[in-house]
Amino acid sequence: MSSRASWRETFAEEAIAPLVALGIALVVGDLLILAYGQAPGDVWRTLVEGTWGNAYGFGQVLYKATTLTCTGLAVALSLRAGLFNIGAEGQLAMGGLAAALVGLALPASTPLAIAAALATFAALVGGGAVGAVPGWLKSRFGAHEVIVTIMLNFIVLALLNWFVSARLHVPETLHTPSIRAGALPRIAEWFSAFHGSAANASLFLVAVAVAVVSWALFRTRAGYELRAVGLQPDAAEYAGVKVGRVWTRAMIVGGALAGLGGINFVLGYKGYYEDGFSGGAGFLGIAVALVGRNHPVGVVLAALFFATLSQGGLAINATVPKQMVEVLQGVVILAVAASVPEVRRILRQSVRGR
Amino acid sequence: MGTLLFLGQTLRIAIPYLFAAAGGAIAERAGIVSLTLEGFMLGGAFGAVIGSFYTESAWMGMLCGALVGLLLGAVHAVASIRYRADQIVVGVALNLFVVGATRFFLQLAFDSSSNSPRVAGFGGEGASGNAGAFLANPLIWLGIAVIPALAWLVGRTTFGLRVRAVGEHPVAAQSVGVPVTRVRYAAVLLSGLFASLGGVYLALDQHQFTDSMTAGRGFIALAAVIFGRWDPKRAGIACLLFAAAETLQIRLQAAQLIPSQFVAMIPYLLTIVAVAGVVGRSTPPAALGKAE
């Protein structure tokens, strides 16, 4: 088998399931639209026009995809090491708060480049610290990371809720005062067509992160070890890889990537930390990683897809309740999860039958 | 009297946990990861309100809620067992799906994004303080009975033995003639049924459905299952413990001794400590989450 053919087969194996899922989601969406007494064709058209059909809608898609790329990478990277990181929600929130704290602490005269760099670093550290807990508990005590990350989400979110409401909020709100330094420019400052959309310079920082993760995962020794541990921890251990250390590191880096997503809202959009800003983006990161097949490029595509759904919900809300897209998100995830093993089985069988 | 009120309030808070923990324990003992408890509960609550609204009978509401639970359990089972989907992902997907679907159909049925109209339920107006209404609610009694019943089912019956075998070593179970797939299907369907009743209780106690009304209770129940080391009786005790902490927090709220957020963390912190094995390690069933 030439390497090209195997590349093509791998691609087919990974791409078929998301396409099947998309088909199922379209059918379910049709049914929901019909249940609401609307014409499916019109609603889908509105959805596409409201997202990719104009600069504002597209800007909103880019904004939402930026956060989802971060949480998707957080889940994908950990999964490559064989760990399931359900904690992106808490990691994202902690990253956002850390960025806001730095933005609040720095004097307003701090040059943007320095302030933004420090706040971004803080977001990475904040998310990474939350990720370190399950990583360490896993390698030190063998505590199952799924359980720890689920529970830790609730703990972190409660802690942040307490901290903001008890210490730092603007009266009558659940957000901090506006940051003094480090606010990132919106895309609209360069392209006026994007006016009003939340897309901002975080986009470029996250694009760099995607490139770095791709490089590190596939072109460095650490990335190789990480993938080896994910495929076969015992074999990796035997080959001299310190599995526990790789696990801890993968969770820290994963957490840091999720935390990075916090700058999109805090530095790029609102200019403050707000309780609950993560709004499920951490959990959707699981979907993004799954549909993106744990590959950085796939993660970006999947993030764009889920961002389109989410923004599209707002576009169609006048005719069909926007909650339709939440149903479709669930359907897509379920369908991908169910069809991946099935597709793999069928493909393997057809290969054997040849 | 004060103690009695405290116990009553604790029990009221514990009932949904007890139902959901029973659902979590049976599925996980059979080797199927149960992150879906929250979705089962929310679906059950919505089904109960829809049923009660259209039939004007709380009992029919209960039946409808239970049916929704069974249906969601069936989806979970087919995806995890027939299609061998990752059970954690299935759980996350179903939870998202149920939140979206209940919101969508809330809009469709009642033209509201936040709550349903008032429907027939168990217990009269202001049931919270009324001991008579409290005792007349059949779901209270069912909730009290569900854990002992499950302990008996898992610990003392052939089915329970099979569930445990399937969760610990499915290959060995298969080799002695246990129908592994069928036992797992049954366990997940029961899980959907039990957990949905927790949501049914919430909805019929409050006489309405409100958006995301289960508010993470399914995850507290999951924490109770893990903290209770996957044993029904211990999980039940954990539910009561968590509910008592919540009651205490409500009682102490006026005094402002500790922030409520810290009390809310207790179940999750205890669970992490338990899985880390600092005090008496909590070990899951050996085949938990493995499709084969």
Side-chain angles (χ1 to χ4, degrees):
Chain A
M1 198 196 288
S2 80
S3 73
R4 243 188 106 164
S6 86
W7 181 85
R8 224 180 270 156
E9 268 162 25
T10 316
F11 183 75
E13 204 174 291
E14 304 294 7
I16 289 175
L19 290 176
V20 169
L22 189 63
I24 294 173
L26 281 173
V27 173
V28 173
D30 281 349
L31 294 176
L32 292 177
I33 294 167
L34 289 172
Y36 220 77
Q38 301 289 334
D42 293 344
V43 173
W44 294 125
R45 201 170 309 119
T46 315
L47 192 150
V48 173
E49 278 168 7
T51 49
W52 292 70
N54 63 75
Y56 166 77
F58 186 59
Q60 289 297 95
V61 170
L62 286 180
Y63 167 74
K64 293 184 173 177
T66 304
T67 310
L68 289 178
T69 300
C70 290
T71 54
L73 278 181
V75 178
L77 190 89
S78 319
L79 266 180
R80 286 273 182 175
L83 299 179
F84 213 136
N85 176 12
I86 317 263
E89 193 77 19
Q91 295 153 6
L92 171 64
M94 185 61 98
L97 182 72
L101 289 179
V102 169
L104 281 165
L106 290 173
S109 58
T110 319
L112 175 61
I114 294 172
L118 286 174
T120 304
F121 182 69
L124 290 165
V125 171
V130 176
V133 176
W136 180 71
L137 289 175
K138 169 91 180 178
S139 53
R140 175 74 178 78
F141 300 105
H144 202 298
E145 79 284 357
V146 169
I147 296 167
V148 176
T149 48
I150 291 176
M151 302 302 153
L152 201 58
N153 273 336
F154 290 104
I155 295 171
V156 168
L157 294 176
L159 203 61
L160 294 183
N161 176 282
W162 166 78
F163 181 74
V164 172
S165 61
R167 306 269 142 165
L168 207 62
H169 68 123
V170 174
E172 308 294 314
T173 73
L174 264 176
H175 62 72
T176 64
S178 287
I179 52 173
R180 279 188 278 269
L184 292 168
R186 301 260 182 115
I187 303 288
E189 290 186 20
W190 302 306
F191 306 100
S192 54
F194 283 88
H195 184 73
S197 91
N200 61 76
S202 314
L203 187 69
F204 305 115
L205 292 172
V206 172
V208 171
V210 173
V212 171
V213 168
S214 304
W215 171 76
L217 200 52
F218 300 111
R219 293 274 180 273
T220 69
R221 185 189 161 145
Y224 179 79
E225 287 187 353
L226 186 144
R227 286 181 292 133
V229 167
L231 289 172
Q232 222 3 300
D234 293 339
E237 180 88 61
Y238 183 70
V241 178
K242 294 203 166 57
V243 173
R245 200 179 292 173
V246 171
W247 275 339
T248 310
R249 230 182 266 159
M251 287 305 288
I252 292 175
V253 176
L257 286 165
L260 176 67
I263 67 168
N264 192 36
F265 178 90
V266 172
L267 303 184
Y269 177 34
K270 290 285 189 180
Y272 52 70
Y273 171 89
E274 184 165 22
D275 190 56
F277 86 89
S278 51
F283 291 112
L284 219 45
I286 298 163
V288 169
L290 173 78
V291 175
R293 311 305 307 128
N294 299 329
H295 192 286
V297 177
V299 163
V300 173
L301 294 176
L304 283 168
F305 171 73
F306 282 103
T308 304
L309 265 188
S310 146
Q311 180 63 23
L314 300 175
I316 61 169
N317 201 22
T319 44
V320 179
K322 62 174 185 288
Q323 286 79 18
M324 183 182 95
V325 303
E326 295 174 9
V327 179
L328 296 186
Q329 283 170 350
V331 169
V332 169
I333 306 168
L334 204 56
V336 172
S339 48
V340 165
E342 195 73 359
V343 166
R344 195 164 294 160
R345 207 171 53 81
I346 293 169
L347 284 178
R348 300 261 155 94
Q349 266 173 4
S350 73
V351 168
R352 247 180 261 134
R354 237 186 285 171
Chain B
M1 191 63 199
T3 323
L4 208 57
L5 273 176
F6 182 85
L7 289 177
Q9 199 173 3
T10 300
L11 193 58
R12 271 181 50 115
I13 294 176
I15 294 291
Y17 298 159
L18 291 169
F19 276 122
I26 184 90
E28 298 231 328
R29 282 309 281 265
I32 305 292
V33 177
S34 211
L35 298 191
T36 15
L37 299 177
E38 182 77 8
F40 289 155
M41 289 179 87
L42 193 61
F46 189 72
V49 166
I50 288 287
S52 175
F53 179 80
Y54 287 107
T55 65
E56 292 174 13
S57 149
W59 288 93
M60 287 306 287
M62 186 167 136
L63 190 67
C64 287
L67 281 177
V68 171
L70 280 173
L71 202 67
L72 291 170
V75 175
H76 185 23
V78 170
S80 312
I81 301 168
R82 162 68 184 80
Y83 288 98
R84 297 182 182 182
D86 187 300
Q87 295 156 16
I88 296 162
V89 176
V90 172
V92 172
L94 266 180
N95 287 340
L96 269 176
F97 172 82
V98 174
V99 171
T102 51
R103 283 181 182 160
F104 183 85
F105 288 108
L106 190 64
Q107 194 85 43
L108 188 64
F110 307 119
D111 201 21
S112 160
S113 58
S114 57
N115 58 277
S116 76
R118 203 181 150 76
V119 299
F122 293 119
E125 303 279 339
S128 35
N130 185 334
F134 180 76
L135 297 177
N137 186 342
L139 283 161
I140 296 266
W141 298 106
L142 259 181
I144 294 171
V146 70
I147 291 290
L150 185 74
W152 172 78
L153 186 72
V154 169
R156 297 258 180 274
T157 66
T158 315
F159 175 71
L161 182 64
R162 288 175 161 192
V163 165
R164 285 181 283 144
V166 159
E168 291 295 337
H169 204 316
V171 178
Q174 185 99 54
S175 71
V176 294
V178 174
V180 172
T181 307
R182 227 186 299 159
V183 170
R184 284 193 165 160
Y185 268 107
V188 179
L189 285 174
L190 277 177
S191 167
L193 176 68
F194 287 153
S196 69
L197 287 175
V200 170
Y201 165 81
L202 283 174
L204 295 182
D205 185 53
Q206 294 170 21
H207 291 253
Q208 67 168 355
F209 179 85
T210 47
D211 180 27
S212 301
M213 70 187 298
T214 46
R217 286 184 178 85
F219 288 99
I220 295 189
L222 180 67
V225 171
I226 299 165
F227 187 64
R229 300 185 205 174
W230 287 267
D231 172 70
K233 262 178 280 176
R234 286 170 193 260
I237 292 168
C239 289
L240 293 172
L241 185 72
F242 294 170
E246 248 177 86
T247 310
L248 202 62
Q249 185 263 316
I250 296 169
R251 290 288 163 103
L252 295 179
Q253 208 153 35
Q256 296 271 337
L257 287 176
I258 15 171
S260 63
Q261 292 95 334
F262 287 88
V263 181
M265 280 179 211
I266 291 173
Y268 312 117
L269 276 173
L270 285 177
T271 305
I272 289 183
V273 170
V275 285
V278 181
V279 228
R281 187 183 205 84
S282 186
T283 315
L288 185 63
K290 301 194 176 79
E292 254 57 38

